[in-house]
Amino acid sequence: MYADSTIVVRYAETDQMGIAHHSVYPIWYEVARTDLIKKLGMHYSEMEAMGVMLPLTDMESHYHQAAKYEDELTVRARVEKMSAARIRFSYEVFRKGEETPINTGATAHGFVDSHTFQPINLKKRYPDLYALLSKAMEKDEIR
Amino acid sequence: MYADSTIVVRYAETDQMGIAHHSVYPIWYEVARTDLIKKLGMHYSEMEAMGVMLPLTDMESHYHQAAKYEDELTVRARVEKMSAARIRFSYEVFRKGEETPINTGATAHGFVDSHTFQPINLKKRYPDLYALLSKAMEKDEIR
Amino acid sequence: MYADSTIVVRYAETDQMGIAHHSVYPIWYEVARTDLIKKLGMHYSEMEAMGVMLPLTDMESHYHQAAKYEDELTVRARVEKMSAARIRFSYEVFRKGEETPINTGATAHGFVDSHTFQPINLKKRYPDLYALLSKAMEKDEIR
Amino acid sequence: MYADSTIVVRYAETDQMGIAHHSVYPIWYEVARTDLIKKLGMHYSEMEAMGVMLPLTDMESHYHQAAKYEDELTVRARVEKMSAARIRFSYEVFRKGEETPINTGATAHGFVDSHTFQPINLKKRYPDLYALLSKAMEKDEIR
């Protein structure tokens, strides 16, 4: 399963090279992650309100082609793997309608208690939430 | 009284016009505000920990000349006026060593309780903090 | 005439107060400005390619209520006034479906040559573009 | 050889988790990269003016501990490896005075012509610049 988010490159996101600055891709990944969780039937805000946060532990990003101001992009997010303690998302960024991504990346996160910031076992503590996120691991529907 | 902060324009802060994007000036103002409060003998983090927050209610910024990547700037912050309920800061941004500001601006803030987000009377609730901030209203030392 | 842009508050746009940081509103204004120009039948990228840039000279923003992560907002942009040398836009930010703006603001810009960065008389140099932007001054259609 | 840059976490860089958002670390890396090149005796702005740009092709970042508003950090940058076509920098972020990094990362860049955006052989085209950057590969001085 995956979720597609539409992003239009903002002027403020460009730099003096005339392209979208590399530091905005992680922000677009985050938009796509939010949309993926919403597609599963939950708001990430609700997860935080329940007491679960997903701070990043690792990020990688590979830039194949530049994006420019006003470019319309699709950011596709998937859950790559997941355990009771951790989750890893992967991303592909496409120019609208194209098949070859201009950027690919991944982020890894731990599940932590939003009050203590300590790691939690999501499966034990929030089995319903664990089950919900697990649904994202299902095979992509044939398009 | 005023505080001077040194800012070096970051690459990520430029846009495709080749200049520092206008939305970063409010962030530089905030750096200068933090330094001004520090100069008074307190960390803004401590104020928040005490239970006081200063959300912005109004901002204005006037751009006279552009700033470029790697430009070394001085951001000067002052308390323009203050009451028990509100505070207003003003800012001037200079190219290092120059006398004419390339940007001038101001921000107005209310004092709110950091838990309830409700307005507070700073003078009554935190008289010491009120006195401390009032010191910033003192006449600039002759240079 | 006005244009409405939809913005969903990004996680990265929040600060430790738990609200959208005030420096992102100018970025949302810019998105709305881009959409308004597009609605007039032109891309702002094309204007820059033609040789016209609109650097900001003045900005103001008034924050009435906070916006939170995942809030769905409408940013409404209008051309407030315009001359051969300058243009001023105004903005209102609404929570989706609400009538009272949570933020209002304005930005003023000069027309400059994108190569020399010198002011230009838009009416003389690009009469078609001047006419196009003037259309934005028309009375709002009755809704 | 390495360069150390001092960063103080800005309020705008925090998110609603109360920590510096992960997307700002790449921006801090860039500040450190700028300082490393300056330490070698050149401004990155001059490199761009000469006609050489270093767009990012790959980035990775590993978050060991969080940074908070007003934290004073040291960002250490090194050139990890370099060829005629590419360069790779590595980074360590420390809390001031600490020995264990709170974040580590790396960025890879290609050398491109700033007008055509095409890859260039830096060693052939700009032998002096190539020699200068190679100096950064020298063993760290014993402290």
Side-chain angles (χ1 to χ4, degrees):
Chain A
M1 196 199 125
Y2 61 81
D4 279 355
S5 305
T6 297
I7 294 281
V8 179
V9 180
R10 299 172 175 184
Y11 201 92
E13 292 173 337
T14 63
D15 62 23
Q16 66 180 37
M17 248 189 275
I19 61 176
H21 191 263
H22 55 271
S23 67
V24 298
Y25 290 77
I27 296 173
W28 296 342
Y29 294 170
E30 195 170 63
V31 170
R33 219 150 60 224
T34 297
D35 285 345
L36 177 60
I37 291 171
K38 209 185 303 180
K39 198 175 173 183
L40 290 169
M42 194 171 196
H43 283 266
Y44 182 64
S45 317
E46 296 174 75
M47 279 181 57
E48 287 205 345
M50 279 173 62
V52 183
M53 288 195 317
L54 269 73
L56 241 109
T57 56
D58 303 273
M59 168 168 70
E60 61 179 82
S61 191
H62 308 284
Y63 305 82
H64 313 304
Q65 280 183 56
K68 303 213 158 189
Y69 168 55
E70 292 202 90
D71 275 357
E72 229 180 303
L73 307 175
T74 299
V75 185
R76 179 164 297 172
R78 283 188 177 84
V79 174
E80 210 178 276
K81 55 184 176 181
M82 194 183 139
S83 70
R86 300 180 51 69
I87 188 164
R88 185 179 161 93
F89 296 87
S90 67
Y91 313 92
E92 293 168 291
V93 181
F94 301 90
R95 276 212 198 78
K96 205 87 187 175
E98 291 186 5
E99 304 266 318
T100 312
I102 62 166
N103 173 282
T104 51
T107 57
H109 309 248
F111 297 117
V112 307
D113 181 301
S114 58
H115 301 292
T116 63
F117 235 83
Q118 291 304 303
I120 57 173
N121 181 315
L122 192 75
K123 201 174 179 175
K124 282 196 187 151
R125 189 108 145 243
Y126 300 100
D128 291 355
L129 179 53
Y130 181 82
L132 187 85
L133 289 173
S134 302
K135 282 200 305 177
M137 302 281 290
E138 285 165 20
K139 271 254 153 50
D140 291 353
E141 54 274 27
I142 312 287
R143 277 165 286 165
Chain B
M1 196 201 125
Y2 61 80
D4 278 355
S5 307
T6 297
I7 292 283
V8 180
V9 180
R10 301 173 173 184
Y11 201 93
E13 293 173 337
T14 63
D15 63 23
Q16 67 180 36
M17 249 189 273
I19 60 176
H21 191 263
H22 56 271
S23 67
V24 299
Y25 289 76
I27 295 173
W28 297 341
Y29 294 169
E30 195 169 62
V31 170
R33 218 150 61 223
T34 297
D35 286 345
L36 177 60
I37 291 171
K38 210 186 301 179
K39 197 175 173 183
L40 290 169
M42 194 173 198
H43 283 266
Y44 182 65
S45 316
E46 296 173 76
M47 280 181 55
E48 286 205 347
M50 278 172 63
V52 183
M53 288 195 318
L54 269 73
L56 242 109
T57 56
D58 301 274
M59 169 168 69
E60 60 179 82
S61 191
H62 308 283
Y63 305 82
H64 314 303
Q65 279 183 58
K68 302 214 160 189
Y69 169 54
E70 293 201 87
D71 275 358
E72 230 180 302
L73 307 175
T74 299
V75 186
R76 179 164 299 171
R78 282 188 177 85
V79 175
E80 210 178 275
K81 54 183 177 180
M82 193 182 138
S83 70
R86 303 181 47 71
I87 189 165
R88 184 177 162 94
F89 296 88
S90 67
Y91 313 92
E92 292 169 290
V93 182
F94 301 90
R95 278 213 198 79
K96 206 87 188 176
E98 291 187 3
E99 303 267 318
T100 313
I102 62 166
N103 174 281
T104 50
T107 57
H109 308 247
F111 298 117
V112 307
D113 180 300
S114 59
H115 301 293
T116 63
F117 235 83
Q118 291 303 305
I120 57 173
N121 181 315
L122 192 74
K123 202 174 179 174
K124 283 197 187 151
R125 188 107 147 243
Y126 300 100
D128 292 355
L129 179 54
Y130 180 81
L132 187 85
L133 290 173
S134 300
K135 282 200 303 175
M137 302 281 291
E138 285 165 19
K139 270 254 151 52
D140 292 352
E141 53 274 27
I142 311 288
R143 277 165 287 163
Chain C
M1 197 201 125
Y2 61 80
D4 279 355
S5 305
T6 297
I7 293 282
V8 179
V9 180
R10 300 173 175 185
Y11 201 92
E13 293 173 337
T14 63
D15 63 23
Q16 67 180 36
M17 250 190 273
I19 60 177
H21 191 263
H22 55 271
S23 66
V24 300
Y25 289 77
I27 297 174
W28 297 341
Y29 293 170
E30 195 170 62
V31 169
R33 218 150 60 223
T34 298
D35 286 346
L36 176 60
I37 291 171
K38 209 186 303 181
K39 199 175 172 182
L40 290 170
M42 193 173 199
H43 283 265
Y44 182 64
S45 318
E46 296 173 76
M47 279 180 56
E48 286 204 346
M50 279 172 63
V52 183
M53 289 195 317
L54 270 71
L56 242 108
T57 55
D58 301 274
M59 167 168 69
E60 61 179 83
S61 191
H62 308 284
Y63 306 81
H64 313 303
Q65 280 183 58
K68 304 212 158 190
Y69 168 55
E70 293 201 88
D71 275 358
E72 229 179 304
L73 307 175
T74 299
V75 185
R76 180 165 298 171
R78 282 187 177 85
V79 174
E80 211 178 275
K81 53 183 177 184
M82 195 182 138
S83 70
R86 303 180 49 71
I87 189 165
R88 184 178 162 96
F89 296 88
S90 67
Y91 312 91
E92 293 169 290
V93 182
F94 301 91
R95 277 211 198 79
K96 205 88 190 173
E98 291 186 4
E99 304 267 316
T100 313
I102 61 166
N103 174 282
T104 51
T107 57
H109 308 247
F111 297 116
V112 306
D113 180 300
S114 59
H115 301 292
T116 64
F117 235 83
Q118 290 305 305
I120 57 173
N121 181 315
L122 191 75
K123 202 173 177 174
K124 283 198 189 150
R125 189 105 146 246
Y126 300 100
D128 291 355
L129 179 53
Y130 181 82
L132 187 85
L133 290 173
S134 302
K135 281 199 304 176
M137 302 281 290
E138 285 164 21
K139 270 254 154 48
D140 293 353
E141 54 274 26
I142 312 287
R143 278 165 288 165
Chain D
M1 197 201 124
Y2 62 79
D4 278 355
S5 307
T6 298
I7 293 281
V8 179
V9 180
R10 301 173 173 184
Y11 201 94
E13 292 173 337
T14 63
D15 63 21
Q16 66 179 37
M17 251 190 270
I19 60 177
H21 191 263
H22 56 272
S23 66
V24 298
Y25 289 77
I27 295 173
W28 297 341
Y29 294 170
E30 196 171 62
V31 170
R33 219 151 60 223
T34 297
D35 286 346
L36 177 60
I37 290 171
K38 211 186 301 181
K39 198 176 173 181
L40 290 169
M42 193 172 198
H43 283 266
Y44 182 64
S45 317
E46 297 173 74
M47 280 182 55
E48 287 205 346
M50 281 172 59
V52 183
M53 288 196 315
L54 269 72
L56 242 109
T57 55
D58 302 274
M59 169 168 68
E60 61 178 83
S61 191
H62 308 283
Y63 305 82
H64 313 304
Q65 280 183 57
K68 303 213 160 188
Y69 168 55
E70 291 200 89
D71 276 357
E72 229 180 302
L73 307 175
T74 299
V75 185
R76 180 164 297 171
R78 283 187 177 84
V79 174
E80 211 178 275
K81 53 183 178 184
M82 195 182 138
S83 71
R86 301 179 50 69
I87 189 164
R88 184 179 162 94
F89 296 88
S90 67
Y91 312 92
E92 293 169 290
V93 182
F94 300 90
R95 276 210 200 80
K96 206 88 187 171
E98 291 187 3
E99 303 267 318
T100 313
I102 62 166
N103 174 281
T104 51
T107 57
H109 308 248
F111 297 117
V112 306
D113 181 300
S114 59
H115 300 293
T116 63
F117 235 82
Q118 291 304 304
I120 56 172
N121 181 317
L122 192 75
K123 202 174 179 173
K124 283 197 190 153
R125 189 107 145 242
Y126 300 99
D128 292 354
L129 179 54
Y130 181 82
L132 188 85
L133 290 173
S134 301
K135 282 200 305 177
M137 302 281 290
E138 285 165 20
K139 270 254 151 50
D140 292 353
E141 54 273 26
I142 311 287
R143 278 166 287 164

